[in-house]
Amino acid sequence: MRWNKFTISTTTQAEDFLSAMLDELGVEGIQIENQVPLTEEELEGMFIDFPPELGEDDGTSRVSFYIEEGQEYKELLVKVKKGIEEIRNYCDVGEGTITSDLTEDIDWINNWKKYFSAFSIDDILIKPTWEELKEDASDKILIEIDPGISFGTGKHETTQLCIKQLRKYIKDGDKVLDVGCGSGILSIAALKLGAQSVVGTDIDEACMTSTHDNFEINHLPQESGKFYVGNLIDDTNLQQKVGTDEYDIVVANILADVIIPMAPIIPARMKDGAIFISSGIIDFKEEAVKNALKEAGLEILEVHHQGEWVSITARK
């Protein structure tokens, strides 16, 4: 199979913003190349004897994405270019130019796997399905994940922030709503932490396959979770399926620009006293999200930061 490869010449500062923009446009398989040195933790996680030799970090980065040969991409490129210019308003995107190339048959969907290895969040051990367990995990809560083409290895700061808050607030027997379920990692974490059942939604149908597969990998009964494709913001049929006054915890690891318009419909899904855990919020949009949650009638309980990302926990 051959692919059209499109590469954005940019900066390390803009990587996350561009990745989020491409994800919103439905682009699958984003590749990032830069000269940022690996941390000690990353080197240990890769289990390699000789780390890659990188040049001097000059702050530049290349963000690439692939479109199968024969698929129409002109309209997508117009949207990508518009997205780059919007990001330029608040972030240094550098050149922001797009170059293209035609690649031969490559396994770009799986190449990233060499960078995803087991790691812990407190007493929770998250392990890729293709890696052998390298430590005694008898004292840990084990979650095995193969994200496939869905978002959600647990490595990203936003997912870690959500898992830490789930660890804090979940009680045995809780019902949990996972909005933007991706690979299902937060739903699986919720069940392993004591939730009785989960309901998940995502706009990407591929996430349903990933989630069901990961439930099976983690030996969780499929009946403990129900998952639906759709946009909870404006899909009234989906809102009815999800239910009203149903949930002890709602978690949404999406983006600030999705959480803000979603805020008015979230409280109706929650029981009185229920907890809403939100993340995927870039730091400069923290106040806008807090204001949206307050206007929706929620009480802000906690705000946590990890890198440039923010998690906001609120209560009905």
Side-chain angles (χ1 to χ4, degrees):
M1 187 178 294
R2 286 153 61 90
W3 304 83
N4 290 296
K5 177 182 180 182
F6 299 95
T7 301
I8 305 170
S9 297
T10 185
T11 65
T12 53
Q13 180 184 351
E15 288 172 351
D16 279 342
F17 300 108
L18 290 169
S19 298
M21 179 265 291
L22 291 169
D23 183 66
E24 283 188 325
L25 292 175
V27 172
E28 298 169 351
I30 299 166
Q31 178 184 9
I32 297 176
E33 301 169 273
N34 58 39
Q35 303 296 326
V36 177
L38 297 171
T39 65
E40 297 256 343
E41 182 181 357
E42 288 169 334
L43 288 172
E44 288 175 6
M46 290 170 72
F47 297 100
I48 53 177
D49 295 322
F50 301 99
E53 292 186 9
L54 301 174
E56 182 179 354
D57 179 18
D58 58 1
T60 63
S61 176
R62 295 180 300 281
V63 177
S64 300
F65 58 97
Y66 298 82
I67 305 296
E68 187 177 341
E69 186 181 21
Q71 286 190 356
E72 177 56 47
Y73 56 78
K74 289 183 180 179
E75 185 178 345
L76 173 63
L77 285 185
V78 170
K79 292 179 180 179
V80 171
K81 289 175 183 177
K82 181 181 178 182
I84 292 171
E85 294 311 307
E86 289 176 352
I87 293 170
R88 197 186 292 277
N89 291 326
Y90 52 80
C91 176
D92 177 14
V93 298
E95 293 180 17
T97 56
I98 304 176
T99 57
S100 63
D101 189 18
L102 188 63
T103 70
E104 294 301 324
D105 188 12
I106 55 172
D107 191 14
W108 62 269
I109 287 181
N110 290 307
N111 283 345
W112 62 272
K113 288 184 176 181
K114 59 189 175 184
Y115 301 111
F116 174 30
S117 55
F119 68 103
S120 294
I121 304 174
D122 299 327
D123 62 342
I124 300 170
L125 176 63
I126 298 174
K127 182 187 81 66
T129 55
W130 56 86
E131 181 180 286
E132 293 294 323
L133 208 55
K134 294 182 173 66
E135 60 180 278
D136 179 12
S138 59
D139 62 338
K140 294 184 181 291
I141 298 170
L142 177 63
I143 297 175
E144 296 192 82
I145 288 291
D146 184 347
I149 61 173
S150 302
F151 178 82
T153 64
K155 278 264 184 178
H156 198 275
E157 292 95 328
T158 61
T159 313
Q160 294 187 33
L161 285 164
C162 284
I163 289 175
K164 288 176 181 177
Q165 292 304 92
L166 285 172
R167 187 78 183 91
K168 179 173 182 177
Y169 284 100
I170 273 191
K171 306 180 300 298
D172 287 347
D174 276 356
K175 293 184 67 176
V176 176
L177 173 62
D178 181 3
V179 185
C181 58
S183 67
I185 186 169
L186 294 179
S187 292
I188 292 166
L191 290 169
K192 295 225 171 186
L193 289 168
Q196 178 185 14
S197 62
V198 294
V199 171
T201 69
D202 203 291
I203 61 172
D204 187 351
E205 191 169 351
C207 294
M208 303 299 105
T209 301
S210 294
T211 297
H212 285 296
D213 288 349
N214 284 319
F215 262 53
E216 185 173 343
I217 290 164
N218 286 276
H219 310 293
L220 294 170
Q222 296 290 341
E223 57 268 24
S224 62
K226 293 181 180 178
F227 297 91
Y228 304 103
V229 178
N231 188 336
L232 200 61
I233 294 174
D234 54 14
D235 188 336
T236 54
N237 184 45
L238 178 60
Q239 292 171 12
Q240 289 176 358
K241 287 180 181 178
V242 167
T244 302
D245 298 326
E246 288 278 339
Y247 301 97
D248 302 284
I249 291 181
V250 177
V251 58
N253 182 25
I254 317 179
L255 291 169
D257 289 341
V258 179
I259 294 170
I260 290 169
M262 185 182 289
I265 62 95
I266 289 295
R269 321 273 78 83
M270 302 166 68
K271 298 176 182 177
D272 288 339
I275 299 296
F276 178 50
I277 299 167
S278 60
S279 192
I281 304 161
I282 198 68
D283 50 15
F284 62 84
K285 294 198 173 182
E286 175 184 331
E287 290 304 315
V289 175
K290 285 163 67 175
N291 289 337
L293 297 182
K294 289 176 183 176
E295 288 175 8
L298 298 177
E299 173 193 4
I300 306 297
L301 297 180
E302 297 183 55
V303 177
H304 293 278
H305 298 81
Q306 191 168 332
E308 299 174 300
W309 299 96
V310 183
S311 168
I312 300 173
T313 301
R315 178 170 55 202
K316 179 177 176 180

